[in-house]
């Protein structure tokens, strides 16, 4: 392991943070927006960049939420070893939610931390929660201890050497457990609701559980958080992110001193009017699914990026599809409005044709998904009062078969949805990475 090579490269860092994008989807976009709001320097990277050895150019890597198992698969053995080598040689690792899960014993094994089994968690808690903070630099100038969590797992600490930086306190106003507002659950009674839902719901079950932990792997620091400090429009979260940037960059240096002018990444294509029309059609289709859910009392918006949905339907997938297609549309319209600028080539280049084929393919693929998904939502809406219905379990064979076709047979992304969202994701990654019309 060539520690000397890594340490020498780190002396010439241009930016402190590499934001790892793969298998983050909505959570990656959330992190990207939060870091932009906080005016923090970072580069977007993907698994191929990691495998090619890019990490020693940075002080630390930030891995946002998403399914940890999918992130591990995207990295492959080579990417996994690159991250372990980077941290062991002195690099930092900051993971939120799924990014935290990636670093645990079942993933990268950077810390002796596991995740509690599903049956011992409160798996569906979301929204504001107060933290009990322990003295640390990352809480500098934090005046309010209320932050956001979005359906977190729970840590199972295996080693006394792990430092707990924050523990969960009481739920905040607007928090929910599954689709039950916490204040309503207190009135109805959690034991009765848990019996009815068949899962742990009472937020008091996570009181005093570790929410943010820190440890070391070799010479490197590792911070794992189940709390989404990267929730946009969160002043408290923004302050914590800035503190983490200072802490993982170098305690004795100001990261601003390390920033060089960003390297321009010319977009290899220029979207035509027909591309914008195709994306607008996709926005309308995805928005129609959101409207179907709202009109049938299946969900409502709780923030500009996140829905709150009823137990029994897969709200996150529809949420992700709409938000990411809408962001793709915003990016492309901004590029057209700004003019070609740093974009190479004209509208008839090979890359423009390739981009058009990808957009056209998505547009042609989406109607079949939308039609079946709308039919499924309506069927689910009228099945909810009739009996037990969870995102995976259902007594109705028609609903079960359609769910598998659309989303696969597990809670993680699969089926037709995964094919669509992966293609949207790669297009959006290319635009964000290039800084298209930022």
């Amino acid at each position: 392991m060539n520690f000397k090579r890594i340490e020498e490269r780190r002396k010439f860092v241009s930016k402190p943070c590499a934001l790892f994008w793969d298998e983050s989807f909505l959570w990656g976009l959330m992190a990207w927006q939060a870091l932009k709001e906080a005016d923090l320097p970072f580069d977007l990277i993907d698994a191929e960049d990691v495998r090619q050895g890019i990490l020693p150019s940075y002080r630390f890597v930030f891995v946002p939420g998403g399914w940890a198992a999918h992130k591990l698969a995207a990295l492959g053995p080579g990417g996994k070893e690159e991250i372990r080598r980077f941290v062991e040689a002195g690099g930092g690792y900051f993971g939120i939610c799924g990014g935290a899960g990636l670093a645990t014993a079942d993933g990268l094994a950077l810390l002796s931390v596991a995740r509690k089994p599903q049956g011992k968690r409160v798996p569906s808690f979301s929204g504001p929660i107060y933290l009990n903070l322990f003295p640390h630099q990352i809480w500098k100038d934090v005046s309010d201890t209320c932050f956001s969590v979005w359906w977190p797992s729970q840590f199972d600490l295996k080693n006394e050497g792990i430092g707990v930086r924050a523990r969960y306190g009481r739920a905040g106003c607007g928090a929910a457990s599954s689709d039950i507002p916490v204040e309503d659950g207190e009135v109805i009674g959690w034991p009765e609701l848990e019996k009815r839902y068949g899962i742990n719901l009472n937020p008091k079950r996570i009181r005093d559980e570790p929410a943010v932990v820190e440890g070391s792997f070799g010479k490197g620091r590792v911070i794992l958080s189940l709390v989404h400090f990267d929730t946009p429009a969160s002043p408290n979260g923004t302050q914590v992110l800035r503190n983490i940037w200072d802490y993982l960059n170098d305690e004795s240096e100001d990261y601003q001193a390390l920033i060089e002018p960003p390297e321009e990444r010319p977009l290899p294509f220029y979207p035509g009017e027909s591309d914008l029309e195709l994306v607008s059609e996709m926005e309308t289709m995805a928005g129609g699914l959101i409207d179907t859910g709202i009109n049938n009392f299946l969900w409502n918006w709780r923030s500009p990026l996140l829905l709150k949905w009823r137990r029994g339907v897969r709200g996150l997938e529809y949420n992700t599809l709409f938000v990411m297609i809408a962001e793709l549309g915003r990016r492309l319209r901004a590029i057209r409005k700004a003019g070609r600028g740093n974009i190479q080539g004209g509208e008839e280049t090979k890359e423009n044709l390739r981009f058009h084929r990808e957009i056209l393919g998505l547009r042609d693929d989406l109607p079949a998904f939308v039609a079946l998904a709308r039919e499924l939502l309506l069927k689910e809406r009228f099945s909810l009062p009739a009996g037990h219905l969870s995102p995976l379990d259902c007594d109705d064979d028609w609903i079960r078969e359609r769910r598998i076709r659309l989303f696969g047979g597990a809670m993680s992304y699969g089926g037709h949805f995964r094919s669509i969202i992966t293609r949207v994701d790669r297009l959006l990654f290319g635009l964000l990475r290039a800084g298209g019309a930022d």
Side-chain angles (χ1 to χ4, degrees):
M1 190 172 298
N2 193 344
F3 288 152
K4 183 176 180 180
R5 176 185 66 85
I6 292 174
E7 289 170 352
E8 285 299 315
R9 282 191 67 182
R10 192 171 291 114
K11 292 178 181 178
F12 302 100
V13 170
S14 60
K15 286 187 178 180
C17 174
L19 174 62
F20 180 70
W21 182 262
D22 287 37
E23 298 295 334
S24 296
F25 301 110
L26 176 65
W27 309 112
L29 182 58
M30 177 185 289
W32 184 89
Q33 288 190 8
L35 297 186
K36 287 290 185 179
E37 288 178 7
D39 198 27
L40 289 167
F42 67 96
D43 282 335
L44 276 183
I45 66 167
D46 63 8
E48 183 58 28
D49 294 324
V50 173
R51 287 190 291 271
Q52 292 297 320
I54 199 173
L55 287 180
S57 299
Y58 300 91
R59 296 286 183 161
F60 68 98
V61 58
F62 172 20
V63 183
W67 292 97
H70 287 178
K71 293 178 185 292
L72 192 64
L75 285 166
K80 175 180 177 179
E81 186 55 34
E82 281 291 330
I83 294 181
R84 285 174 56 83
R85 184 183 297 120
F86 166 70
V87 179
E88 190 172 10
Y93 183 101
F94 173 40
I96 287 182
C97 208
L102 178 64
T104 60
D106 292 334
L108 299 172
L110 298 180
L111 295 184
S112 296
V113 176
R115 288 175 289 177
K116 286 191 173 183
Q118 187 73 15
K120 295 186 177 181
R121 302 181 196 171
V122 179
S124 298
F125 182 85
S126 63
I129 191 168
Y130 288 87
L131 299 183
N132 298 320
L133 309 180
F134 297 92
H136 196 280
Q137 181 179 330
I138 64 174
W139 311 125
K140 179 183 176 183
D141 297 328
V142 172
S143 57
D144 188 342
T145 64
C146 188
F147 298 94
S148 295
V149 295
W150 304 112
W151 311 283
S153 62
Q154 289 169 244
F155 290 135
D156 185 3
L157 304 187
K158 301 292 187 182
N159 191 318
E160 293 183 358
I162 305 299
V164 177
R165 304 308 180 211
R167 293 185 181 272
Y168 289 123
R170 63 181 174 86
C173 181
S177 196
S178 188
D179 55 1
I180 306 166
V182 169
E183 54 267 31
D184 293 349
E186 298 290 342
V187 173
I188 298 170
W190 292 113
E192 170 61 27
L193 291 169
E194 289 183 342
K195 181 179 179 181
R196 187 180 306 174
Y197 276 53
I199 58 174
N200 294 330
L201 292 167
N202 190 345
K204 291 180 181 177
R205 291 178 181 270
I206 64 173
R207 279 273 188 102
D208 297 322
E209 288 279 319
V212 182
V213 301
E214 181 184 6
S216 59
F217 181 73
K219 298 179 181 179
R221 298 189 187 107
V222 180
I223 297 177
L224 308 183
S225 173
L226 299 176
V227 182
H228 274 277
F229 302 120
D230 58 347
T231 300
S234 169
N236 297 335
T238 295
Q239 184 58 48
V240 174
L241 290 176
R242 287 172 176 161
N243 291 341
I244 287 173
W245 253 239
D246 287 334
Y247 181 65
L248 289 181
N249 175 55
D250 190 289
E251 289 182 295
S252 63
E253 296 182 46
D254 180 355
Y255 67 74
Q256 295 288 344
L258 297 170
I259 302 173
E260 296 176 356
E263 176 187 355
E264 287 196 359
R265 296 173 182 264
L267 286 169
F269 59 86
Y270 184 64
E273 287 294 342
S274 61
D275 298 323
L276 269 64
E277 291 172 3
L278 292 170
V279 173
S280 293
E281 291 178 24
M282 290 193 290
E283 289 180 82
T284 299
M285 286 187 278
L289 285 177
I290 298 298
D291 290 343
T292 296
I294 291 173
N295 294 337
N296 285 277
F297 313 105
L298 296 177
W299 52 59
N300 59 274
W301 287 107
R302 68 193 303 174
S303 78
L305 288 178
L306 288 169
L307 292 168
K308 184 173 80 172
W309 53 91
R310 294 180 65 180
R311 177 168 171 78
V313 298
R314 299 186 66 140
L316 184 59
E317 285 83 354
Y318 300 102
N319 187 162
T320 298
L321 181 69
F322 173 74
V323 168
M324 293 190 70
I325 288 178
E327 184 64 28
L328 181 63
R330 277 193 292 272
R331 291 277 134 196
L332 293 177
R333 286 189 289 271
I335 291 167
R336 288 286 299 189
K337 184 177 181 180
R340 299 182 184 224
N342 64 341
I343 299 170
Q344 296 175 334
E347 295 196 23
E348 300 303 321
T349 66
K350 179 197 278 187
E351 283 300 320
N352 282 338
L353 293 174
R354 181 193 62 78
F355 178 76
H356 179 72
R357 284 195 299 270
E358 290 184 10
I359 292 291
L360 182 61
L362 274 169
R363 164 59 183 81
D364 289 345
D365 196 16
L366 195 57
F369 174 88
V370 168
L372 186 56
R374 185 173 186 275
E375 192 177 4
L376 174 62
L377 286 172
L378 294 173
K379 183 76 170 179
E380 288 174 328
R381 181 255 194 274
F382 291 104
S383 296
L384 284 172
H388 175 68
L389 189 68
S390 79
L392 294 180
D393 299 327
C394 178
D395 297 331
D396 187 305
D397 291 339
W398 188 95
I399 290 178
R400 188 185 311 109
E401 187 275 329
R402 265 62 172 188
R403 284 177 169 181
I404 291 173
R405 191 190 307 179
L406 288 174
F407 304 112
M411 283 302 296
S412 58
Y413 301 145
H416 194 180
F417 173 79
R418 182 167 182 81
S419 169
I420 290 173
I421 203 64
T422 298
R423 289 143 68 194
V424 174
D425 183 72
R426 294 312 298 177
L427 289 170
L428 187 55
F429 172 79
L431 292 174
L432 296 180
R433 179 167 163 141
D438 248 1

